[in-house]
Amino acid sequence: MSSQTYSISDLARELDITTRAIRFYEEQGLLSPERRGQERIYSPRDKVSLKLILRGKRIGFSLAECRELIELYDPTGGNQKQLQTMLNKIAERREQLEQQMLDIEQMKLELDTAQERCMQALEFTIKSQQVV
């Protein structure tokens, strides 16, 4: 692994996020930069962790799930356990999304039915007023 390090502003600029977001992930225990006085020094591992957090957020993982994946990171062991866990979480997320899509379709049908009933009731009300 490279001995390159990053400042908080380097990571923020490179990953297009705010320094505040990086500090938040640090407060949550997801990143652990070295400290030189007040300055935070991030390692390549921190950068990988941050990328994993951002990717996880984009696909709907919780911070706890991101933490679990970060803890499994093992560049020397080929990351098999991390990758298998990630695949399992992706399958779970996909299942959740499929269920949400079914729920949305059902809700749309119920909205269509409610709308149709309201339109019929309104039409009936207008016709009854015209008869009087």
Side-chain angles (χ1 to χ4, degrees), residues 1-2 4-8 10-12 14-15 17 22 25-26 29-35 39-54 70 73 75:
M1 187 164 317
S2 147
Q4 180 177 5
T5 59
Y6 308 89
S7 70
I8 194 168
D10 291 338
L11 284 180
E14 190 171 331
L15 300 174
I17 59 172
I22 295 171
Y25 297 132
E26 185 181 335
L30 296 167
L31 300 172
S32 51
E34 250 183 72
R35 294 261 186 183
E39 188 181 6
R40 293 169 169 89
I41 308 296
Y42 294 89
S43 68
R45 182 185 177 105
D46 290 319
K47 182 178 175 182
V48 168
S49 295
L50 194 50
K51 283 182 172 183
L52 191 57
I53 293 165
L54 297 173
I70 289 167
Y73 178 68

Side-chain angles (χ1 to χ4, degrees), residues 59 61 86-103:
I59 58 179
F61 289 175
M86 180 87 163
L87 285 172
N88 293 342
K89 291 193 177 302
I90 288 169
E92 288 171 18
R93 185 67 181 132
R94 190 178 303 274
E95 216 172 278
Q96 290 170 347
L97 289 173
E98 293 292 336
Q99 185 58 54
Q100 287 176 331
M101 287 178 12
L102 290 172
D103 293 346

Side-chain angles (χ1 to χ4, degrees), residues 2-128:
S2 147
S3 62
Q4 180 177 5
T5 59
Y6 308 89
S7 70
I8 194 168
S9 54
D10 291 338
L11 284 180
R13 190 172 33 258
E14 190 171 331
L15 300 174
D16 196 28
I17 59 172
T18 64
T19 56
R20 185 174 182 202
I22 295 171
R23 284 190 296 273
F24 172 77
Y25 297 132
E26 185 181 335
E27 289 165 12
Q28 298 301 308
L30 296 167
L31 300 172
S32 51
E34 250 183 72
R35 294 261 186 183
R36 287 194 201 127
Q38 292 285 45
E39 188 181 6
R40 293 169 169 89
I41 308 296
Y42 294 89
S43 68
R45 182 185 177 105
D46 290 319
K47 182 178 175 182
V48 168
S49 295
L50 194 50
K51 283 182 172 183
L52 191 57
I53 293 165
L54 297 173
R55 182 179 304 126
K57 273 186 54 184
R58 281 194 304 273
I59 58 179
F61 289 175
S62 68
L63 286 182
E65 289 172 313
C66 291
R67 176 179 287 109
E68 181 184 351
L69 291 167
I70 289 167
E71 288 170 356
L72 293 172
Y73 178 68
D74 177 16
T76 60
N79 289 318
Q80 278 185 310
K81 192 168 185 184
Q82 183 192 43
L83 293 170
Q84 190 57 56
T85 302
M86 180 87 163
L87 285 172
N88 293 342
K89 291 193 177 302
I90 288 169
E92 288 171 18
R93 185 67 181 132
R94 190 178 303 274
E95 216 172 278
Q96 290 170 347
L97 289 173
E98 293 292 336
Q99 185 58 54
Q100 287 176 331
M101 287 178 12
L102 290 172
D103 293 346
I104 289 169
E105 284 304 315
Q106 182 62 40
M107 192 179 295
K108 284 170 58 181
L109 289 173
E110 290 179 26
L111 286 170
D112 290 346
T113 301
Q115 181 181 19
E116 184 60 34
R117 286 184 180 157
C118 286
M119 289 172 60
Q120 287 172 353
L122 186 58
E123 195 174 297
F124 177 77
T125 305
I126 291 171
K127 283 182 182 177
S128 353

